[in-house]
Amino acid sequence: MHHDDQVLLGEHKWNSATETKWTIRRKVAEILVHPNFSKLSKMDSDIALLRLNSPVPLGPERAIVPICLPANDEDFTGHIGTVSGWGSVSSYGFISSILKAAHVPILEDEECETMFGTAFTKNMICAGLKEGGKDACQGDSGGPLAVLGQGRRWVLAGLVSWGRGCGRPGTPGVYVRVAGYINWINNITGALDTCG
């Protein structure tokens, strides 16, 4: 199975050619989409793993450090998540050339269910300010919602999945609940400890 997709690691400003000291480029050898994912099924299980064509050297000296995976079924309700990406800076606006981040509180499932009804499933979390103004947007999909955990380590709480507009009051962004997929990830990766 051949993919033309590529992954850039250590990227910050995607339209700059001078960042090559930190940037590593890899071809995607395989895309492993979760077997339960279907666009028809309300974006449930909106998660995939990419197998790269060769290993990536990691560590602080490379400026590329892996994020920690959450514990199985770990709950991040009430934590502040940091969502980042190069997506639009307004609904259907221009995409950003530099990596941007926003801090958003992770809400209780009941709140999300009230706002989104049956579109919100147990495999999702939602995050955002009641007044709006901070959110992921078009072009951020698949990006991380990270929570600063114990030992000042970043933990991957969610993946940008969907929303209704961007940053609207009372309309938080919806994310994949990564903690619900740890067994699936471990089965494929051989339970790699990326956090050591």
Side-chain angles (χ1 to χ4, degrees), residues 147-190:
V147 169
L148 194 53
Q150 291 171 337
R152 298 204 54 77
R153 292 178 172 187
W154 289 96
V155 180
L156 185 62
L159 301 171
V160 178
S161 182
W162 61 277
R164 293 182 181 150
C166 310
R168 289 186 194 166
T171 311
V174 183
Y175 300 80
V176 178
R177 186 190 301 273
V178 175
Y181 293 94
I182 298 304
N183 292 339
W184 177 72
I185 293 168
N186 284 344
N187 284 342
I188 292 172
T189 62

Side-chain angles (χ1 to χ4, degrees), residues 101-143:
H103 305 295
V104 285
I106 297 171
L107 307 180
E108 292 182 23
D109 290 350
E110 293 73 30
E111 284 186 83
C112 307
E113 285 162 11
T114 302
M115 287 179 269
F116 296 110
T118 56
F120 185 85
T121 75
K122 65 179 185 350
N123 296 316
M124 302 171 186
I125 56 178
C126 80
L129 300 168
K130 299 269 189 303
E131 66 273 21
K134 288 184 175 184
D135 196 3
C137 204
Q138 288 83 23
D140 288 324
S141 295

Side-chain angles (χ1 to χ4, degrees), residues 39-101:
K39 283 185 180 155
L40 303 173
S41 71
K42 310 186 271 194
M43 297 298 285
D44 203 39
S45 300
D46 183 19
I47 185 170
L49 290 170
L50 304 181
R51 195 187 303 280
L52 306 182
N53 66 336
S54 66
V56 173
L58 299 170
E61 68 285 351
R62 300 287 325 194
I64 300 169
V65 181
I67 194 166
C68 300
L69 288 173
N72 193 30
D73 291 330
E74 189 171 345
D75 183 13
F76 293 98
T77 305
H79 287 74
I80 300 293
T82 300
V83 58
S84 54
W86 288 268
S88 303
V89 289
S90 64
S91 277
Y92 302 104
F94 292 107
I95 62 168
S96 173
S97 62
I98 58 166
L99 185 62
K100 292 197 175 280

Side-chain angles (χ1 to χ4, degrees), residues 14-47:
W14 59 260
N15 59 2
S16 160
T18 58
E19 289 183 344
T20 50
K21 175 185 170 198
W22 302 115
T23 306
I24 292 177
R25 187 182 294 268
R26 288 288 183 270
K27 288 184 175 155
V28 175
E30 189 180 5
I31 299 175
L32 300 137
V33 178
H34 194 278
N36 294 346
F37 175 71
S38 153
K39 283 185 180 155
L40 303 173
S41 71
K42 310 186 271 194
M43 297 298 285
D44 203 39
S45 300
D46 183 19
I47 185 170

